């Protein structure tokens, strides 16, 4: 049986590994491999997924037929590098850099004539403060140049706040570089797409809704399709196609996030991988029928010969995310009832257990938990989401002895 290498072993890579195990010997490269992966893999390399040379040696030693990842930015460069060096189907290392370096991304968009929010890439707090003063203050967002999961991404509303938060953003950037960008507060969209042999198709467009938490820059829900009118939705889709085509993506699934400022639409980020929180593995499929994992495996091994069938939007679907408050879980009720609901699909509810101690807080996307649900229309979706929140009752004892429920908003 041929061997395929998958880089990354978080919860959101498990669907790809499970699918791959049906046809290949699966090898994993990741810093940690949990027990959930054990039934599906035949080998592993425990390594930083940014260690391109170590992963390349492992891939060559095992004579792999393809390399891939999904739902994680941090592995995209390694996948591109290994594929390029071994002559396997891939996107090319420089394209991998383009989709994972926020400064390169913005420089390319500028070259393509695509409007950008005012920004600057800086390497020190003094440079960040100078740029803040140059643009006249106000609200800005600071982003590490090449992180994932919104680690280090923060909103700053004053020079003092920028000074306080800058070090955390720089800490998550591999080279210490930070993007300082004007913060927009308009409507947000998420778009999933597909490329093969440089031909691009939009797959689905949805709405992004955020937690109302001061320190958490993370979506509480992404719901497909968007409720925007057809004209606005098409403007977003056209812009996404222009960007991905302009970036020269040879193949893969894409995930792009957009925000409006007034009537203008701006790209926040785009990625040469499927959306996390099971967007790629589940929500694309529920939206347009694509078997995303099979497509990713087939392009990685050169077996995909044409654009697969893409259906019109099939239902309303989305993820609901929540945070466990910092503390110890002392009560969990309603999990089995929620899991029995026919419209609840892939989820992370197995992590809700009495005795679990959460030390991570709620400062980025990586500490959220989620579940996927479907509905025939948006009104039914909202009613089902409300029922889930009501049914799932969890108490967490915090350090000061108080008891808090799950954080849904």
């Amino acid at each position: 049986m041929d061997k395929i290498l998958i880089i990354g072993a978080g919860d959101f890579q498990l669907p790809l590994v499970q699918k791959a195990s049906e046809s290949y010997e699966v090898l994993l490269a990741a810093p940690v491999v949990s027990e959930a992966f054990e039934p599906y893999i035949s080998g592993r390399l425990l390594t930083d997924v940014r260690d391109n040379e170590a992963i390349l040696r492992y891939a060559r030693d095992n004579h792999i037929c393809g390399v891939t990842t999904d739902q994680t930015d941090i592995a995209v460069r390694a996948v591109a590098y290994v594929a390029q060096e071994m002559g396997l189907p891939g996107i090319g290392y420089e394209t991998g850099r383009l989709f994972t370096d926020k400064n390169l991304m913005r420089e390319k968009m500028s070259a393509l004539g695509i409007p950008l929010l005012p920004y600057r890439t800086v390497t020190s707090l003094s440079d960040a403060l100078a740029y803040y003063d140059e643009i006249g203050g106000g609200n800005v967002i600071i982003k590490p140049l090449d992180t994932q999961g919104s680690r280090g991404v923060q909103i700053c509303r004053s020079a003092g706040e920028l000074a306080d938060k800058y070090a955390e953003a720089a800490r998550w950037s591999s080279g210490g570089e930070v993007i300082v960008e004007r913060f927009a507060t308009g409507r947000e969209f998420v778009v999933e797409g597909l490329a093969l042999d440089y031909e691009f198709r939009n797959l689905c467009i949805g709405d992004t809704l955020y937690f109302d938490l001061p320190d958490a820059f993370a979506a509480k829900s992404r719901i497909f399709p968007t409720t925007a009118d057809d004209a606005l939705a098409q403007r977003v889709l056209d812009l996404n196609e222009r960007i991905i085509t302009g970036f020269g993506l040879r193949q893969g699934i894409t995930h792009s996030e957009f925000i409006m400022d007034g009537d203008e639409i701006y790209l926040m980020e785009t990625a040469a991988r499927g959306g996390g929180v099971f967007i790629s593995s589940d929500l694309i499929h529920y939206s347009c029928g694509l078997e995303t994992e099979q497509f990713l495996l087939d392009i990685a091994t050169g077996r995909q010969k044409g654009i697969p069938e893409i259906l019109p939007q099939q239902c309303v679907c989305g993820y609901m995310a929540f945070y466990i408050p910092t503390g110890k879980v002392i009560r969990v009720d309603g999990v089995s009832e929620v899991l029995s609901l026919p419209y609840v699909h892939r989820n992370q509810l197995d992590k809700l257990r009495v005795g679990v101690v959460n030390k991570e807080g709620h400062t980025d996307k990586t500490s959220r938990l989620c579940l996927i649900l479907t509905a025939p229309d948006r009104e039914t979706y909202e009613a089902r989401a409300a029922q889930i929140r009501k049914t799932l009752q969890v108490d967490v004892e915090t350090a000061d002895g108080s008891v808090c429920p799950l954080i849904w908003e």
Side-chain angles (χ1 to χ4, degrees), residues 110-131:
S110 180
L112 292 170
I114 296 171
L116 295 164
L117 288 163
Y119 82 97
R120 182 166 294 168
T121 302
V122 299
T123 56
S124 68
L125 173 59
S126 60
D127 287 345
L129 290 171
Y131 180 65

Side-chain angles (χ1 to χ4, degrees), residues 47-111:
T47 184
D48 187 326
V49 299
R50 294 166 293 191
D51 191 338
N52 293 344
E53 295 301 333
I55 298 172
L56 176 60
R57 287 193 298 272
Y58 182 69
R60 281 178 167 157
D61 289 345
N62 283 277
H63 308 287
I64 64 169
C65 69
V67 56
T68 188
T69 192
D70 193 28
Q71 303 192 50
T72 175
D73 280 327
I74 201 168
V76 168
R77 291 192 196 185
V79 170
Y81 182 76
V82 171
Q84 178 175 289
E85 293 301 303
M86 292 187 66
L88 297 169
I91 64 175
Y93 184 66
E94 289 307 313
T95 302
R97 291 184 64 233
L98 176 60
F99 275 92
T100 53
D101 183 306
K102 294 178 176 62
N103 188 58
L104 291 177
M105 192 180 297
R106 283 159 176 76
E107 288 179 349
K108 183 65 172 179
M109 288 174 59
S110 180

Side-chain angles (χ1 to χ4, degrees), residues 69-361:
T69 192
D70 193 28
Q71 303 192 50
T72 175
D73 280 327
I74 201 168
V76 168
R77 291 192 196 185
V79 170
Y81 182 76
V82 171
Q84 178 175 289
E85 293 301 303
M86 292 187 66
L88 297 169
I91 64 175
Y93 184 66
E94 289 307 313
T95 302
R97 291 184 64 233
L98 176 60
F99 275 92
T100 53
D101 183 306
K102 294 178 176 62
N103 188 58
L104 291 177
M105 192 180 297
R106 283 159 176 76
E107 288 179 349
K108 183 65 172 179
M109 288 174 59
S110 180
L112 292 170
I114 296 171
L116 295 164
L117 288 163
Y119 82 97
R120 182 166 294 168
T121 302
V122 299
T123 56
S124 68
L125 173 59
S126 60
D127 287 345
L129 290 171
Y131 180 65
Y132 184 78
D133 183 62
E134 181 182 318
I135 62 175
N139 296 339
V140 296
I141 187 167
I142 55 176
K143 308 175 182 181
L145 204 66
D146 55 359
T147 189
Q148 69 171 10
S150 293
R151 292 183 177 100
V153 177
Q154 300 166 93
I155 300 168
C156 304
R157 298 169 178 83
S158 67
E161 199 170 350
L162 176 58
D164 290 341
K165 294 180 176 180
Y166 181 86
E168 177 65 10
R171 181 170 77 89
W172 288 105
S173 179
S174 62
E177 295 172 286
V178 173
I179 297 280
V180 182
E181 185 174 74
R182 172 70 69 195
F183 181 59
T185 58
R187 183 171 189 170
E188 293 195 28
F189 300 94
V190 57
V191 182
E192 309 303 308
L194 174 153
L196 183 62
D197 295 331
Y198 302 104
E199 186 177 350
F200 180 76
R201 296 285 189 278
N202 286 305
L203 296 174
C204 50
I205 177 172
D207 295 320
T208 298
L209 306 173
Y210 279 89
F211 285 96
D212 187 20
L213 295 170
D215 299 319
F217 191 78
K220 66 179 181 181
S221 187
R222 284 196 163 111
I223 309 173
F224 299 86
T226 178
T227 58
D229 63 61
D230 291 346
L232 176 55
Q234 192 60 53
R235 286 178 60 204
V236 177
L237 293 172
D238 289 345
L239 179 57
N240 191 55
E241 182 173 359
R242 182 182 173 193
I243 291 168
I244 304 302
T245 301
F247 279 23
L249 184 66
R250 176 186 174 187
Q251 62 183 41
I253 299 294
T254 65
H255 171 80
S256 304
E257 300 173 12
F258 296 91
I259 190 166
M260 296 191 71
D261 190 39
D263 192 50
E264 191 66 69
I265 303 165
Y266 294 100
L267 177 73
M268 298 167 65
E269 313 291 345
T270 189
R273 48 83 182 170
V277 201
F278 304 127
I279 291 176
S280 180
S281 55
D282 292 65
L283 296 182
I284 287 178
H285 174 70
Y286 290 127
S287 290
C288 67
L290 180 69
E291 297 287 352
T292 311
E293 295 93 340
Q294 191 64 57
F295 174 76
L296 290 171
L297 296 169
D298 287 346
I299 63 173
T301 55
R303 297 182 179 183
Q304 186 72 39
K305 300 305 181 184
I307 297 288
E309 182 182 13
I310 301 169
L311 302 176
Q313 187 74 39
Q314 299 294 290
C315 67
V316 173
C317 58
Y319 72 71
M320 296 174 60
F322 59 87
Y323 285 106
I324 301 175
T326 305
K328 181 178 180 180
V329 177
I330 58 174
R331 179 175 76 103
V332 177
D333 289 329
V335 170
S336 60
E337 289 86 345
V338 169
L339 293 179
S340 70
L341 297 171
Y343 48 81
V344 171
H345 307 284
R346 205 184 306 264
N347 62 83
Q348 296 174 295
L349 298 186
D350 61 309
K351 299 182 185 299
L352 287 176
R353 302 186 304 274
V354 171
V356 167
V357 177
N358 178 36
K359 299 179 181 179
E360 294 185 348

